[in-house]
Amino acid sequence: MRDVLEAWQPVIDETIETVLPREIDEDYLASFFGAPSYRYDPQAIQRALADPIWELLDRGGKRWRAIVAVKLFEAFGEDPEEYLQYAAIPEILHNGTIIVDDVEDGASMRRGGPALHLEYGTDIALNAGNAMYFLPLKIITHNPGGFDADTRLQAYEMLMHELNRTHLGQGMDICWHNEQEVRVSEQAYFEMCACKTGCIGRIVARLPAILTSQSAETERLVADYAERMSVAFQIGDDILDVEHTLDQAGDFGKEFGNDIREGKKTLMVIHAVENAPENEVERLEEILWAADNTEAEIMEAIEILQGTGSIDFARERAERLAREARESLAAVDLEPEPADQLADFTRFVIERDV
Amino acid sequence: MRDVLEAWQPVIDETIETVLPREIDEDYLASFFGAPSYRYDPQAIQRALADPIWELLDRGGKRWRAIVAVKLFEAFGEDPEEYLQYAAIPEILHNGTIIVDDVEDGASMRRGGPALHLEYGTDIALNAGNAMYFLPLKIITHNPGGFDADTRLQAYEMLMHELNRTHLGQGMDICWHNEQEVRVSEQAYFEMCACKTGCIGRIVARLPAILTSQSAETERLVADYAERMSVAFQIGDDILDVEHTLDQAGDFGKEFGNDIREGKKTLMVIHAVENAPENEVERLEEILWAADNTEAEIMEAIEILQGTGSIDFARERAERLAREARESLAAVDLEPEPADQLADFTRFVIERDV
């Protein structure tokens, strides 16, 4: 899987450069955004969009959303080179959500550097993040693939559906984060993940299905694949945060016990609250709610999660979702080589050293 | 004009309630956003979306964007009651930009109350503001007007065009705001306004034109009308800020000399920088750049604007834009009564006591 990612990552970045070049001039602005009513200021757009967005992209990120889209085009028997700008759509959207999430969470670090709003100011960062919600959607209008009106409309309606649900998921997550009591059901937790993280995943899969005129059933199955894989990755991330804290390794690019410090209502926390004795539930909620925690408190919280078997429970759920993702994929008639690669992506849900 | 606004404002609010009810339940979520993958948490969506959004809407706002759209439907000879959800689209978008702008600017007050991010937290406010960018776009998919695929696609492509340019305008404005030197040309200033404020105005006009199958020329003319009126209002707002400061009235809902304190690069400032002696330009830039200003400094800045005739210049430009807006409107064959009302809207660009 690592070789697939490494081979395609530079191709994706070159593609993103065709949508948003590193150097902005008036010709680009007029051709991408349309003629100005008066006169654009390319220097301002350079600083407001190109500089912060390329700073974030150049810091890293595996571009797996774009690459899964590329592999789906291949799996549908198409030449992915003809669809590269479309494959970049969910990747640009995802990076936009990262900038906005970091403002919402008051995050300090991102991909080994200061969060963008700390480096460029909240105004620039937020506008750049929001611009990344609309910039890629313009690709459908530019129509480099020459699709008919019905296909373009279907793409827009799908994108509006998924981007609306993204904001429901983020809203649920934020709202729970602002409550001391953990009242979240497992079903609502999965829904939050399916919306917040899964909807960008669904775009990854549904866009290739729509643009290559797959059946509704195939579109549904590949969307299930991508949604479940995305949710499994989210749960896997949360497990890794706990495990790296236990290892005291701290080399995961996050701080020690980060999720507990942040008071994140992970699947492990939800399971523990449903299964731990009342005094431990209260203590766990107290530690998660506190403005800051000692290392001892973080270890105490993790011990509560371990005592209820919540880490194993979450691992089992993540693996089940990854298995369901593979089953959805297997139900579609796909080209064997890219299909195998797509199935492989789901096998790194918890071991993430790729 | 006031009676038109007062008659329609409650109708618009009732319409917005059909898009986002004040009370959220699972039935609404499933019918508006689609069936969940697992299970929604309506209580969280209530707190994350309905509560903050209705708090902002209930604080006021004239809903003029929706009402201009209503009048355009009438002017095209249609019954506006059949298009109300569509008329609400630019109004919801506009209110979303208000929430996001307030986070970007670090604003403290909005419509007589604390800015939403101060009352609900940056996370809730920002997610609600961003949700308001996508929520109304879902109306095109729900298709209450029963439009054909070509019309819906045209609506989406127009919306993507204008919402992209909105972010260019905001980017230009922010970028200039972050520079001490005022290097903005008049043409770039008008472009910033045409994008930042004008594009939502253009949606107000283009959506009724598209949905009632007007010619491309008619769509262009009504878009010009709405864009110029929006820019004229923006310039008028800036003039009012100076005039109310001169009156020391302070009853405009803004603080004394607010725009100068904020270092806003208004058309007046740009004109003064082009026309004042060098020492005054330096002094004006210094006052605008300072983290805070005394009342004497604010008066000094205003005297520089007066000395170069910049306030009169801006008033003349706002009035010219309003006149151009009326000329664009007059070039279209419209029902006379709503056409007169639409022309009337442009006459309140600087005297805003409506």
Side-chain angles (χ1 to χ4, degrees), chain A residues 84-105:
Chain A
L84 287 176
Q85 283 202 341
Y86 298 100
I89 290 176
E91 195 61 53
I92 300 171
L93 290 170
H94 164 70
N95 279 278
T97 66
I98 279 184
I99 300 175
V100 175
D101 282 8
D102 281 351
V103 175
E104 289 176 0
D105 301 346

Side-chain angles (χ1 to χ4, degrees), chain A residues 38 41 47 176 179 191, chain B residues 38 41 47 176 179 191:
Chain A
Y38 302 88
D41 178 0
R47 294 188 194 168
W176 299 338
E179 297 169 349
E191 184 64 29
Chain B
Y38 301 87
D41 179 0
R47 292 186 195 170
W176 299 340
E179 296 168 351
E191 185 65 29

Side-chain angles (χ1 to χ4, degrees), chain A residues 172-189:
Chain A
M172 286 163 74
D173 197 22
I174 291 169
C175 194
W176 299 338
H177 188 258
N178 293 341
E179 297 169 349
Q180 176 162 5
E181 188 199 347
V182 180
R183 61 168 184 82
V184 186
S185 72
E186 202 187 311
Q187 288 299 298
Y189 175 81

Side-chain angles (χ1 to χ4, degrees), chain A residues 61-339:
Chain A
K62 296 183 199 71
R63 317 283 189 258
W64 71 259
R65 289 165 187 82
I67 296 168
V68 167
V70 159
K71 289 289 147 187
L72 276 162
F73 282 114
E74 273 184 23
F76 290 138
E78 303 278 336
D79 178 1
E81 298 283 347
E82 288 173 24
Y83 298 87
L84 287 176
Q85 283 202 341
Y86 298 100
I89 290 176
E91 195 61 53
I92 300 171
L93 290 170
H94 164 70
N95 279 278
T97 66
I98 279 184
I99 300 175
V100 175
D101 282 8
D102 281 351
V103 175
E104 289 176 0
D105 301 346
S108 54
M109 296 287 288
R110 173 60 68 180
R111 293 181 183 159
L116 245 61
H117 60 279
L118 297 180
E119 188 165 338
Y120 290 87
T122 298
D123 48 5
I124 292 277
L126 204 44
N127 186 63
N130 278 176
M132 292 168 91
Y133 290 176
F134 291 105
L135 209 131
L137 305 188
K138 187 88 186 170
I139 293 167
I140 311 290
T141 299
H142 285 163
N143 198 19
F147 298 107
D148 63 21
D150 278 340
T151 306
R152 275 137 66 204
L153 177 62
Q154 220 185 323
Y156 273 128
E157 295 196 335
M158 179 277 287
L159 285 158
M160 293 307 124
H161 176 80
E162 302 299 349
L163 290 170
N164 264 290
R165 276 169 41 92
T166 304
H167 289 86
L168 290 189
Q170 179 72 348
M172 286 163 74
D173 197 22
I174 291 169
C175 194
W176 299 338
H177 188 258
N178 293 341
E179 297 169 349
Q180 176 162 5
E181 188 199 347
V182 180
R183 61 168 184 82
V184 186
S185 72
E186 202 187 311
Q187 288 299 298
Y189 175 81
F190 282 128
E191 184 64 29
M192 181 278 285
C193 290
C195 288
K196 179 180 164 149
T197 315
C199 282
I200 304 275
R202 295 173 63 86
I203 292 170
V204 166
R206 293 183 70 188
L207 201 52
I210 289 169
L211 299 179
T212 62
S213 305
Q214 305 300 317
S215 69
E217 177 63 4
T218 293
E219 185 182 338
R220 189 186 67 73
L221 284 164
V222 293
D224 277 357
Y225 153 77
E227 175 188 308
R228 277 156 207 219
M229 177 164 68
S230 303
V231 177
F233 267 107
Q234 180 60 58
I235 297 170
D237 251 352
D238 297 343
I239 295 169
L240 283 173
D241 185 83
V242 169
E243 290 189 339
H244 281 267
T245 300
L246 282 171
D247 295 345
Q248 305 219 12
D251 59 355
F252 188 53
K254 289 189 175 188
E255 292 164 47
F256 179 87
N258 202 38
D259 287 354
I260 289 167
R261 265 187 227 280
E262 277 187 11
K264 201 166 166 184
K265 270 74 170 185
T266 62
L267 182 59
M268 292 169 282
V269 167
I270 291 158
H271 181 263
V273 165
E274 279 169 5
N275 293 282
E278 202 175 323
N279 63 321
E280 288 187 10
V281 170
E282 270 174 36
R283 183 66 187 135
L284 181 59
E285 289 177 342
E286 201 172 79
I287 293 171
L288 291 169
W289 188 247
D292 200 14
N293 299 119
T294 63
E295 295 201 357
E297 283 170 338
I298 287 167
M299 291 312 297
E300 190 185 344
I302 292 180
E303 276 159 26
I304 294 170
L305 301 181
Q306 287 177 314
T308 48
S310 300
I311 303 172
D312 292 338
F313 169 81
R315 184 179 293 106
E316 186 276 321
R317 279 287 187 276
E319 280 166 1
R320 184 198 292 184
L321 281 161
R323 202 164 55 239
E324 288 174 356
R326 287 191 292 276
E327 285 163 8
S328 293
L329 198 68
V332 186
D333 183 25
L334 298 170
E335 298 293 324
E337 197 187 318

Side-chain angles (χ1 to χ4, degrees), chain B residues 73-87:
Chain B
F73 282 115
E74 274 185 23
F76 291 137
E78 301 279 335
D79 177 1
E81 297 283 346
E82 289 173 24
Y83 297 89
L84 287 175
Q85 282 202 343
Y86 297 100

Side-chain angles (χ1 to χ4, degrees), chain B residues 165-180:
Chain B
R165 277 169 42 93
T166 304
H167 288 86
L168 291 189
Q170 178 72 350
M172 287 163 74
D173 196 23
I174 291 168
C175 195
W176 299 340
H177 187 259
N178 293 342
E179 296 168 351
Q180 176 163 2

